[in-house]
């Protein structure tokens, strides 16, 4: 019996003795005796409650679980860890890709801007081939911690799809958030991957944009359906396609989003950045407009359009940002891209997308004139694709896709891309 029970028992004994001797002390005030009796009742109640709390907990009766012969989905939550008050959520997928290339660049993923040109030695040596890899396998962590200033969040996401050979470890996203502020690396505010038609190819097709930039961004809402974001982003081009690059200022980027009551979405974006060499400087700029239109509960259309001058880093498969002429002046590339696709959900397990992407560079400026004999720069690019995505079980996705595309250089030469892509993914 612990100290609490011993104390309660002593108090009950003392009060009982006083109660028994009350006839002897007839002069004792009756009100005090009544108060003592009330206290006895309260102490008894406290003792009973304490004993019930200390009673051992009976084990729960086990419940028999019958396994389903065919499980189509799982309700198990994602792994959550906690350390120092932080909640950590693990996610990602294991993915295997394969590509059978009948004609085109000898690469696992899309390289439409560099496919061999017709009637060249490179094309003559070209053979059909099968590629496979698991480099797109992805691992991510979401963080969330309460604080006196509000909830602090963060993300760290990695895969093995980096480097020129697409087989190196890389960090995709790494940022922290507080209230409306974000600092770190994530999707550029100028691009909208959510409006790009679905593809099996992890490199995407013409008109695709997957640029991630180090940035400082502020986002907020103007109304229940309208939001905006402004950011300063590191504009340095990771590749060496911008010659004599001495850029020193961040790019200024803005975005406006609106959602409609029927589920459709619309987004407008713009950016401005300085391009500087040791002898000249120019301002690069661009605008983008894209969205999603819900044709029916099972069918929707996605489209994204860009016009850019003087920058080649935001959009994939674009030309160099600029070229330096014989007077050491910057001559900017200027181009338009558009991608569009329609997706239909046939049932809970099967969906399909028909997509098209197109890029056209301005061909009557100094950039095109200087780059006319440069076979790595293109006047036009286009690709069309059709795919099917099948989810036999919730964590599994199987995909197959056919794609055909062409490129044309500034001097009129052409190259062809003709491939079949396949993938299998397990999400967790």
């Amino acid at each position: 019996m612990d100290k609490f029970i011993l104390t309660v028992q002593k108090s009950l004994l003392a009060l009982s003795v006083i109660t028994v001797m009350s006839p002897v002390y007839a002069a004792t005030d009756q009100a005090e005796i009544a108060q003592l009796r009330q206290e006895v009742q309260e102490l008894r109640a406290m003792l009973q409650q304490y004993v019930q709390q200390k009673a051992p907990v009976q084990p729960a009766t086990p419940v028999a679980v019958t396994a389903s012969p065919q499980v189509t989905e799982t309700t198990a939550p994602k792994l959550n860890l906690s350390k120092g008050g932080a909640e950590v959520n693990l996610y990602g997928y294991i993915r295997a890709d394969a590509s059978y290339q009948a004609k085109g660049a000898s690469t696992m993923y899309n390289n439409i801007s560099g496919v061999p040109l017709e009637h060249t030695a490179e094309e003559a040596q070209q053979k059909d081939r099968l590629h496979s890899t698991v480099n797109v396998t992805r691992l991510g962590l979401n963080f969330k911690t309460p604080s006196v200033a509000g909830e602090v969040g963060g993300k760290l996401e990695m895969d093995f799809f980096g480097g020129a050979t697409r087989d190196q470890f890389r960090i995709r996203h790494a940022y922290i958030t507080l209230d409306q502020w974000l600092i770190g690396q994530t999707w550029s505010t100028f691009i909208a991957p959510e409006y790009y038609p679905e593809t099996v190819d992890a490199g995407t097709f013409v008109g695709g944009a997957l640029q991630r930039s180090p940035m400082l961004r502020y986002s907020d809402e103007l109304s229940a359906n309208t939001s905006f974001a402004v950011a300063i982003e590191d504009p340095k081009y990771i590749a060496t396609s911008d010659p004599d690059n001495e850029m020193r200022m961040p790019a200024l980027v803005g975005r406006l989003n609106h959602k409609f009551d029927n589920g459709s979405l619309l987004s407008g974006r713009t950016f401005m950045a300085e391009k500087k060499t040791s002898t000249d400087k120019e301002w690069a700029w661009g605008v983008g407009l894209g969205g999603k239109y819900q044709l029916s509960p099972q069918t929707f259309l996605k489209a994204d359009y860009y016009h850019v001058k003087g920058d080649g880093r935001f959009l994939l498969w674009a030309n160099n940002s600029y070229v330096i002429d014989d007077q050491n002046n910057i001559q900017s590339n200027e181009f338009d891209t558009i991608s569009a696709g329609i997706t239909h959900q046939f049932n809970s397990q099967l969906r399909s997308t028909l997509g098209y992407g197109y890029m056209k560079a301005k061909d009557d400026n100094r950039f095109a004139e200087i780059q006319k004999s440069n076979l790595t720069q293109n006047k036009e690019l286009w690709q069309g694709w059709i795919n099917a995505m099948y989810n036999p079980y919730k964590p599994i996705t199987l995909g197959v896709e056919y794609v055909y595309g062409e490129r044309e250089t500034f001097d009129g030469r052409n190259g062809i891309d003709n491939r079949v892509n396949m993938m299998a993914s397990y999400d967790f």
Side-chain angles (χ1 to χ4, degrees):
M1 194 71 65
D2 56 23
K3 293 182 178 180
F4 177 81
I5 295 177
L6 184 59
T7 302
V8 172
Q9 288 177 334
K10 289 180 178 180
S11 300
L12 289 172
L13 180 59
L15 290 169
S16 300
V17 171
I18 293 172
T19 304
V20 172
M21 295 180 64
S22 58
V24 179
Y25 299 94
T28 304
D29 188 85
Q30 294 298 323
E32 292 180 357
I33 293 175
Q35 182 179 356
L36 288 172
R37 288 175 177 171
Q38 182 181 353
E39 291 176 356
V40 169
Q41 296 298 327
E42 292 175 352
L43 286 169
R44 285 176 178 170
M46 291 172 59
L47 178 60
Q48 184 178 4
Q49 182 180 2
Y50 183 83
V51 171
Q52 289 175 350
Q53 291 175 351
K54 285 296 184 178
V57 178
Q58 296 299 323
T61 303
V63 178
V65 178
T66 303
S68 172
Q70 183 178 8
V71 179
T72 58
E73 64 179 23
T74 177
T75 58
K78 293 182 182 297
L79 176 63
N80 287 290
L81 306 173
S82 180
K83 180 176 178 60
E87 180 182 311
V88 185
N89 175 243
L90 173 68
Y91 69 93
Y93 54 69
I94 300 170
R95 173 168 160 163
D97 287 89
S99 174
Y100 178 77
Q101 190 135 27
K103 203 167 186 179
S106 181
T107 56
M108 171 68 222
Y109 296 104
N110 185 29
N111 189 24
I112 181 62
S113 61
V115 298
L117 297 170
E118 294 180 315
H119 312 302
T120 62
E122 186 181 7
E123 186 200 31
Q125 297 173 0
Q126 181 179 334
K127 298 180 180 179
D128 58 333
R129 61 188 62 83
L130 176 70
H131 300 278
S132 62
T133 185
V134 294
N135 294 345
V136 184
T137 295
R138 184 178 302 173
L139 181 66
L141 297 167
N142 285 321
F143 302 87
K144 185 170 61 175
T145 307
S147 74
V148 294
E151 186 175 273
V152 179
K155 179 186 285 290
L156 178 62
E157 186 177 287
M158 305 147 284
D159 67 8
F160 306 89
F161 193 48
T165 57
R166 296 297 194 184
D167 61 356
Q168 299 178 21
F169 174 81
R170 67 172 179 174
I171 295 177
R172 288 169 50 86
H173 303 274
Y175 61 80
I176 58 176
T177 59
L178 176 60
D179 199 13
Q180 277 80 38
W181 292 94
L182 179 148
I183 182 169
Q185 175 177 295
T186 189
W187 299 120
S188 170
T189 313
F190 183 62
I191 69 170
E194 64 270 30
Y195 301 139
Y196 191 69
E198 186 175 31
T199 71
V200 170
D201 196 310
T204 73
F205 297 130
V206 175
L210 299 175
Q211 176 65 26
R212 289 172 291 271
S213 303
M215 68 178 70
L216 174 64
R217 182 164 70 196
Y218 178 83
S219 306
D220 207 346
E221 294 185 349
L222 297 176
S223 69
N225 293 337
T226 307
S227 63
F228 75 93
V230 291
I232 51 174
E233 303 183 7
D234 188 343
K236 291 189 291 295
Y237 199 32
I238 298 175
T240 58
S241 59
D242 290 354
D244 192 21
N245 187 342
E246 294 189 5
M247 287 186 293
R248 57 188 178 178
M249 301 292 291
L252 179 62
V253 190
R255 176 170 178 154
L256 187 66
N257 304 316
H258 184 77
K259 58 182 179 181
F260 299 89
D261 295 336
N262 66 349
S264 300
L265 303 167
L266 186 65
S267 170
R269 292 93 62 193
T270 186
F271 85 92
M272 184 171 61
E274 181 190 51
K275 296 290 182 176
K276 187 179 186 302
T277 67
S278 58
T279 58
D280 195 14
K281 67 177 181 178
E282 290 284 342
W283 286 100
W285 59 273
V287 293
L289 181 66
K292 171 184 173 182
Y293 181 69
Q294 200 75 36
L295 298 171
S296 73
Q298 292 78 33
T299 307
F300 58 85
L301 173 70
K302 287 184 177 181
D304 207 17
Y305 164 78
Y306 295 92
H307 179 86
V308 177
K309 181 178 181 181
D311 198 297
R313 74 188 183 95
F314 287 105
L315 279 296
L316 293 169
W317 324 120
N319 295 322
N320 296 344
S321 301
Y322 59 86
V323 66
I324 299 176
D325 63 17
D326 54 5
Q327 302 297 317
N328 292 323
N329 294 323
I330 293 175
Q331 300 297 333
S332 296
N333 175 40
E334 190 169 0
F335 65 96
D336 296 270
T337 72
I338 187 169
S339 63
I342 186 169
T343 298
H344 182 73
Q345 188 81 41
F346 293 96
N347 53 50
S348 61
Q349 295 179 313
L350 180 64
R351 66 185 183 275
S352 179
T353 296
L354 176 65
Y356 178 79
Y358 178 72
M359 186 282 294
K360 183 170 189 322
K362 192 173 182 180
D363 61 350
D364 59 353
N365 56 8
R366 282 286 289 154
F367 178 89
E369 180 183 345
I370 296 171
Q371 298 284 41
K372 188 170 185 178
S373 60
N374 187 346
L375 301 184
T376 68
Q377 305 298 290
N378 298 289
K379 174 185 174 181
E380 291 186 12
L381 300 171
W382 72 267
Q383 285 180 304
W385 66 94
I386 184 170
N387 60 44
M389 298 290 189
Y390 179 57
N391 298 103
Y393 309 105
K394 185 176 182 180
I396 300 295
T397 302
L398 305 175
V400 62
E401 176 176 79
Y402 173 70
V403 56
Y404 181 89
E406 295 183 6
R407 77 162 171 137
E408 180 184 351
T409 61
F410 284 111
D411 65 353
R413 303 190 189 190
N414 294 283
I416 294 174
D417 182 45
N418 187 5
R419 289 179 294 121
V420 175
N421 300 321
M422 295 155 281
M423 60 84 71
S425 175
Y426 172 81
D427 298 336
F428 58 88

